[in-house]
């Protein structure tokens, strides 16, 4: 929209220089990664463990309402920290250089019903490689929402405002089955046996999470079964709502662009960086917001450098912003209310039929590399 | 207990809380606490470790991967225990300072009693067979003494079933580890023959028994000291150069020869140019120089696969090779077998490769 008009199409040479400057920033940051980052992520692990223990302990005294409220909030906080600043970033391999098997991207399993294995495929591979490319990045509306006018409208989308709320409440479940491809099975493109095979590990993870949060810990509380059960349910929902909001602000704000598959043709490094920039949006705020969002408040930096420790994004952001300004590119950032307001507007607006706006272009050299605002 | 806790708590979480009570308590990881340390020689320290119950033990002559955290990074190197297995399950590691060595500098300079190290399973075939009679010749240089010391102690503890000769080469008298114990054993036990060779000290013989200054292991020397080499089984351990010359001197003449080298062999660079290596699991394809070990070539590209010893014995870096031909830098053997395990630290690519990394 208005901000997107600031984007100047870049020539191949400009894109190369743009990419080289970002690569140089990356190299400077990689050189700094070390002991400090290791100590930071261990502190996060500590915070996750202590808030979880405190939350669960308070919930055992959950008949006393203030204890229930505080316990639920602490458990929700623990799950948010674990999913975002710890799990998401560790699964990206941001801390693989530590060689710590408990912080290894290939083996880390997080406290959420979705398996890390599926996440590594849908998120680390598909979403981060093919960010906002229609038909390749399943995160565009997660296959259930119409966020962009380029997605085909169907009458079903009229119920989208309601469905978006349900999806937010059950967000972890949506993530869990994202890669199970129920749609292919419904269309008869996949056999029941294949579906069962793909679902098996997801099923095991779901069972484990349900037993932990909704059976084992409530049973452990004996007569206080119910307050613990409800506290755990609410904590999981709080985590769902928060992560949904942060993640939707990362790619579904007003100025974010999606791309046709043709952008991949001979895509240069600089071009890739530019696509990450145009497809992502930041949330401005303080340190607390950055930690609580797993530094996805720096979605732009995260998409440019997904394998660097996320705590480094804050110091990289001003440099990225300055580089973008020099190349005439909009650096999409705003407060949480502003960014989420734009997301809500998109969900409402595109539940009704809508048509793509004018086409914005990424480069001046390759007309087929068109993007749509 | 474990079954009961399983639905409630993940191993990582259990370890986090367990370590608050006892630093070596763990769900399943073999951890060991340093309970004592003593200087063993100039630039060498012996660490006495008390492992938790997840450590499965070792056999004299084997290696153990030891992991320590150094500046936020967990570093793994192989060490041979120098003691023999006992009821207290303790493991003694004798660590020699390597110039610029990250792990040895840390273990000697920065670890204290009470610190915790992680251990891997013991591995290696340089061990006593069940019937260890006959004649044995152990050739050790530098820290190559460590597995040999365990073998000698085990031999002594088993009341000396056969004849044993140890040739131990060090640079100086001050760097000899276990010298007093070895000399004492040689004086007491007629079937144990000891030769301590000092390569950097050529002054006149100063009276220390079994010690030769300026001596160097060569064919003539060995012919004089061990005339019936053909009747001996030979174990050799030390730096690659030492092991190579030991192999040349004794490899064909001994009844049996087995060697383990510490430093990686020099690169065989007969294939210039690059190969395309597809990393299937991470979805990347890289152009790598063919002359280098795959591990080094990958690391130069910013990819850091799991690895341990970097010399082809610990198997930590092993990954599935789905297709392509590789060459073992140790042996020169080429391997074109698809779907096989490949140790990337000692193999280079001879063709385009697909790896399960």
């Amino acid at each position: 929209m208005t901000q997107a008009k600031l984007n100047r199409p870049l020539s191949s040479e400009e894109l190369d220089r743009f990419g080289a400057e970002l690569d140089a920033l990356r190299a400077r940051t990689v050189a700094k990664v070390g002991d400090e980052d290791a100590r930071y992520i261990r502190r996060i692990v500590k915070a996750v463990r202590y808030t979880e223990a405190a939350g669960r302990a308070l919930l055992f005294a959950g008949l006393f309402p203030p204890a229930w409220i505080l316990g639920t909030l602490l458990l929700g906080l623990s799950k948010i920290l674990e999913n975002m600043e710890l799990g998401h970033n560790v699964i990206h391999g941001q801390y693989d250089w530590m060689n710590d098997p408990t912080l290894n991207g290939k083996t880390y399993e997080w406290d959420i019903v979705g398996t890390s294995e599926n996440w590594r495929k849908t998120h680390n591979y598909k979403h981060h490689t093919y960010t906002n490319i229609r038909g390749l990045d399943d995160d565009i509306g997660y296959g259930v929402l119409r966020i962009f006018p380029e997605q085909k409208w169907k009458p079903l989308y009229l119920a989208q405002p309601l469905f978006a709320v349900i999806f937010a409440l059950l967000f972890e479940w949506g993530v869990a089955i994202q890669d199970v491809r129920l749609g292919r099975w419904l269309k008869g493109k996949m056999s029941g046996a294949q579906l069962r095979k793909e679902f098996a590990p997801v099923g095991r993870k779901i069972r484990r999470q349900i037993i932990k949060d909704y059976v084992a810990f409530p049973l452990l509380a004996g007569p206080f079964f119910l307050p613990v059960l409800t506290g755990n349910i609410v904590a999981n929902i709080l985590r769902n709502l928060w992560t949904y909001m942060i993640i939707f602000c990362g790619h579904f704000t007003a100025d974010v662009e999606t791309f046709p598959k043709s952008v991949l043709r001979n895509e240069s490094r600089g071009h890739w960086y530019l696509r990450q920039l145009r497809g992502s949006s930041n949330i401005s705020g303080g340190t607390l917001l950055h930690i609580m969002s797993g530094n996805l408040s720096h979605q732009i930096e995260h998409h440019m450098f997904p394998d660097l420790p996320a705590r480094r994004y804050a110091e990289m952001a001003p440099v990225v912003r300055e580089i973008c300004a020099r190349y005439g590119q909009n650096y999409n950032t705003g407060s949480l209310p502003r960014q989420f307001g734009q997301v809500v507007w998109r969900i409402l607006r595109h539940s009704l039929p809508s048509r793509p706006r004018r086409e914005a272009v990424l480069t001046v050299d390759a007309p087929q590399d068109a993007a749509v605002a | 207990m474990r079954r009961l806790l399983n639905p409630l708590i993940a191993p990582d979480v259990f370890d986090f809380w367990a370590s608050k009570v006892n630093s070596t308590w763990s769900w399943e990881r073999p951890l060991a606490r340093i309970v004592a340390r003593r200087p063993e020689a100039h630039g060498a320290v012996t660490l006495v470790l008390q492992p938790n119950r997840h450590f499965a033990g070792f056999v004299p002559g084997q290696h153990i991967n030891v992991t320590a955290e150094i500046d936020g990074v967990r570093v793994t190197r192989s060490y041979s225990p120098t003691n023999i297995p006992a009821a207290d399950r303790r493991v003694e590691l004798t660590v020699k300072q390597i110039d610029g060595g990250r792990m040895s500098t840390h273990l000697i300079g920065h670890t204290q009693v009470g610190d915790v190290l992680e251990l891997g399973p013991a591995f290696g075939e340089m061990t006593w067979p069940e019937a260890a009679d006959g004649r044995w010749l152990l050739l050790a240089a530098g820290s190559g003494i460590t597995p040999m010391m365990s073998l000698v102690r085990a031999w002594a503890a088993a009341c000396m079933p056969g004849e044993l000769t140890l040739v131990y080469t060090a640079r100086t008298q001050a760097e000899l580890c276990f010298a007093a114990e070895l000399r004492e054993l040689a004086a007491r036990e007629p079937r144990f023959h000891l030769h301590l060779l000092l390569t950097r000290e050529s002054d006149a013989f100063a009276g220390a028994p079994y010690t030769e200054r300026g001596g160097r292991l060569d064919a003539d020397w060995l012919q004089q000291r061990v005339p019936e080499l053909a009747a001996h089984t030979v174990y050799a351990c030390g730096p690659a150069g030492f092991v190579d010359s030991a192999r040349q001197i004794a490899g064909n003449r001994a009844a049996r020869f087995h060697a383990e080298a510490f430093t990686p062999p020099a690169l065989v660079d007969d294939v210039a140019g690059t190969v395309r290596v597809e990393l299937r699991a991470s979805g990347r394809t890289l152009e790598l120089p063919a002359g280098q070990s795959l591990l080094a070539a990958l690391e130069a590209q910013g990819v850091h696969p799991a690895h341990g010893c970097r010399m082809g014995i610990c198997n930590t870096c092993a990954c599935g090779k789905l297709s392509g031909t590789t060459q073992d830098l140790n042996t020169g053997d080429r391997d074109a077998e698809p779907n096989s395990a490949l140790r990337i630290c000692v193999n280079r690519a001879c063709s385009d490769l697909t790896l399960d990394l």
Side-chain angles (χ1 to χ4, degrees):
Chain A
M1 293 185 202
T2 51
Q3 293 299 307
K5 280 185 197 149
L6 295 173
N7 289 329
R8 179 163 65 80
L10 300 177
S11 68
S12 297
E13 290 87 330
E14 280 179 309
L15 273 173
D16 286 345
R17 278 188 282 123
F18 179 69
E21 291 200 36
L22 289 167
D23 276 341
L25 170 63
R26 181 195 165 84
R28 288 201 298 277
T29 310
V30 166
K32 284 189 271 184
V33 169
D35 202 16
E36 214 183 305
D37 303 81
R39 271 181 284 137
Y40 173 80
I41 201 65
R42 295 241 157 86
R43 278 205 305 277
I44 293 292
V45 170
K46 224 178 205 173
V48 168
R49 302 280 179 259
Y50 279 103
T51 47
E52 183 188 358
R56 293 199 189 279
L58 278 166
L59 280 175
F60 278 15
L63 279 184
F64 179 55
W68 185 90
I69 292 171
L70 193 59
T72 303
L73 288 176
L74 275 172
L75 186 57
L77 171 76
S78 174
K79 282 173 179 279
I80 287 169
L81 266 182
E82 196 278 340
N83 286 178
M84 305 199 88
E85 185 66 332
L86 185 58
H88 165 263
N89 290 334
V90 163
I91 293 170
H92 265 294
Q94 292 179 0
Y95 297 93
D96 276 11
W97 52 271
M98 291 169 66
N99 294 328
D100 186 334
T102 67
L103 297 171
N104 179 284
K106 280 192 285 187
T107 54
Y108 188 87
E109 192 60 64
W110 52 359
D111 182 15
I112 183 173
V113 289
T115 64
S116 297
E117 200 51 50
N118 280 348
W119 180 259
R120 279 185 270 275
K121 186 171 146 205
T122 58
H123 179 84
N124 287 8
Y125 172 55
K126 284 191 185 170
H127 171 60
H128 273 273
T129 312
Y130 304 118
T131 310
N132 281 27
I133 295 178
R134 299 186 294 275
L136 292 176
D137 180 2
D138 293 338
D139 284 13
I140 298 180
Y142 293 89
V144 287
L145 298 177
R146 184 168 182 265
I147 306 284
F148 295 94
E150 293 78 14
Q151 295 171 269
K152 197 169 167 253
W153 186 84
K154 287 178 240 167
L156 199 64
Y157 285 126
L158 289 171
Q160 170 163 301
L162 175 69
F163 196 66
V165 174
I166 297 170
F167 187 45
L169 291 168
L170 301 176
F171 191 47
E172 63 169 327
W173 298 93
V175 169
I177 60 166
Q178 188 181 6
D179 198 42
V180 178
R181 301 186 294 174
L182 281 172
R184 283 176 60 83
W185 174 68
L186 288 172
K187 284 180 196 156
K189 285 184 184 171
M190 181 165 59
S191 69
Q194 179 67 18
L195 179 75
R196 273 193 297 281
K197 195 175 148 222
E198 290 193 11
F199 186 73
V202 182
R204 276 195 297 277
K205 180 73 194 288
I206 288 175
R207 194 174 63 213
R208 183 182 167 84
Q209 290 296 106
I210 287 181
I211 289 177
K212 177 163 73 80
D213 277 347
Y214 304 142
V215 181
F217 275 112
L219 278 179
L220 215 58
F224 310 118
F225 182 92
L226 219 53
V228 172
L229 176 70
T230 53
N232 286 357
I233 291 174
V234 173
N236 273 320
I237 289 176
L238 288 177
R239 182 270 321 277
N240 287 351
L241 294 174
W242 176 258
T243 50
Y244 176 96
M245 182 165 67
I246 296 298
I247 290 171
F248 273 43
C249 284
H251 297 291
F252 303 157
T253 55
D255 294 331
V256 161
E257 298 164 26
T258 64
F259 310 94
K261 286 179 189 169
S262 59
V263 291
L264 287 172
R265 217 174 295 148
N266 302 320
E267 189 176 54
S268 68
R269 181 106 175 125
H271 199 158
W272 182 84
Y273 275 127
L274 185 63
R275 179 157 61 79
Q276 303 303 327
L277 171 69
R278 296 268 193 101
S280 310
S281 48
N282 284 6
I283 307 166
S284 55
T287 310
L288 185 65
L289 175 82
H290 297 322
I291 294 176
M292 288 297 292
S293 67
N295 275 293
L296 291 185
S297 48
H298 292 112
Q299 189 76 238
I300 293 170
E301 288 74 23
H302 175 56
H303 264 266
M304 288 175 165
F305 317 105
D307 57 337
L308 296 188
R311 63 180 288 273
R312 294 281 173 183
Y313 297 156
E315 66 183 55
M316 301 174 88
V319 186
V320 172
R321 192 168 188 164
E322 183 269 328
I323 293 172
C324 291
R326 271 193 285 114
Y327 286 85
Q329 301 301 313
N330 174 36
Y331 184 86
N332 187 340
T333 185
S335 68
L336 183 58
R338 176 181 178 271
Q339 301 293 64
F340 194 62
Q342 294 182 352
V343 171
V344 172
W345 171 246
R346 266 195 188 272
I347 292 172
L348 295 174
R349 172 65 191 90
H350 298 297
S351 64
L352 303 170
S354 55
R355 273 199 304 199
R357 290 164 178 273
R358 63 172 185 83
E359 291 197 280
V361 276
L362 285 174
T363 80
V364 290
D365 297 347
Q368 78 271 21
D369 290 351
V372 181
Chain B
M1 172 77 166
R2 286 161 66 99
R3 273 182 66 98
L4 214 65
L5 278 175
N6 189 45
L8 287 174
I9 195 165
D12 292 3
V13 182
F14 178 88
D15 286 0
F16 177 86
W17 293 112
S19 70
K20 305 281 171 209
V21 185
N22 181 321
S23 54
T24 56
W25 281 3
S26 172
W27 187 263
E28 59 192 1
R29 291 165 68 173
L31 305 175
R33 186 185 298 112
I34 301 174
V35 291
R37 48 175 293 159
R38 58 172 185 262
E40 201 62 69
H42 177 71
V45 165
T46 294
L47 303 175
V48 183
L49 308 181
Q50 183 67 60
N52 67 12
R53 65 192 190 86
H54 301 300
F55 178 67
F58 68 96
V59 171
Q62 287 190 313
H63 305 255
I64 294 171
N65 271 0
V66 178
T67 302
E69 190 182 313
I70 306 173
D71 296 333
V73 180
R74 284 164 49 94
V75 177
T76 303
R77 295 287 183 272
S78 293
Y79 288 95
S80 295
T82 48
N83 64 330
I84 53 177
D88 62 9
R89 305 179 63 254
R90 286 189 176 179
V91 175
E92 293 187 15
L93 304 178
T94 301
V95 182
K96 188 166 176 284
Q97 175 69 56
I98 310 288
D99 289 339
R102 202 173 180 188
M103 187 69 153
S104 61
T105 303
H106 174 77
L107 289 179
I108 291 178
H110 302 289
T111 53
Q112 296 168 349
V113 168
D115 287 356
V116 173
L117 303 172
E118 184 156 353
L119 305 178
F123 58 91
E125 280 90 55
M126 207 169 68
T127 56
W128 289 126
E130 274 189 33
D133 45 3
R135 296 186 193 181
W136 292 79
L137 171 61
L138 307 182
L139 304 174
S143 29
I145 189 61
T146 53
M148 302 309 189
M149 194 59 203
S150 186
L151 289 170
V152 168
R153 283 169 166 166
W155 180 84
C159 304
M160 295 87 177
E163 295 259 333
L164 179 62
T165 304
L166 171 67
V167 179
Y168 172 19
T169 303
R171 286 183 298 194
T172 62
Q173 173 77 27
E175 287 177 57
L176 281 174
C177 294
F178 317 108
E181 182 182 343
L182 288 169
R183 286 188 181 114
E184 193 271 328
L185 180 66
R188 171 159 57 87
E189 175 46 61
R191 278 177 299 174
F192 179 58
H193 312 288
L194 178 65
H195 302 278
L196 301 169
L197 302 185
L198 302 177
T199 57
R200 295 265 175 96
E201 283 181 1
S202 55
D203 52 329
F205 178 63
Y210 313 106
T211 309
E212 295 175 39
R213 290 164 200 256
R216 204 169 266 283
L217 183 68
D218 60 32
D220 291 343
W221 185 94
L222 195 64
Q223 179 62 39
Q224 279 181 22
R225 302 307 194 285
V226 190
E228 292 172 86
L229 187 58
H232 284 74
T233 300
V234 179
Y235 282 170
C237 187
F242 171 82
V243 166
D244 278 350
S245 63
R247 191 187 311 258
Q248 277 169 20
I249 297 164
N252 294 325
R253 294 168 52 209
R256 201 165 80 79
F257 182 89
H258 181 84
E260 286 179 1
F262 284 144
T263 39
L267 290 179
V268 187
D269 193 12
D270 61 343
V271 176
T274 62
V275 290
R276 283 177 74 83
V277 176
E278 182 193 343
L279 307 179
R280 182 68 58 83
S282 43
R284 295 179 67 178
T285 300
L286 301 165
E287 286 283 332
L288 300 181
Q292 248 180 333
S293 83
L294 279 160
L295 179 60
L298 286 167
E299 285 177 335
Q301 296 282 321
V303 180
H304 299 280
H307 62 273
C309 66
R310 305 187 75 102
M311 54 189 178
I313 59 174
C314 78
N315 221 39
T316 309
C317 71
C319 70
K321 182 187 71 180
L322 302 172
S323 67
T325 303
T326 51
Q327 183 178 33
D328 188 319
L329 293 166
N330 276 330
T331 63
D333 294 342
R334 281 168 200 264
D335 182 80
E337 187 75 23
N339 297 314
S340 54
L342 176 71
R343 288 169 303 169
I344 55 176
C345 67
V346 286
N347 279 279
R348 68 177 190 85
C350 303
S351 71
D352 290 358
L353 295 179
T354 305
L355 303 179
D356 190 17
L357 269 178

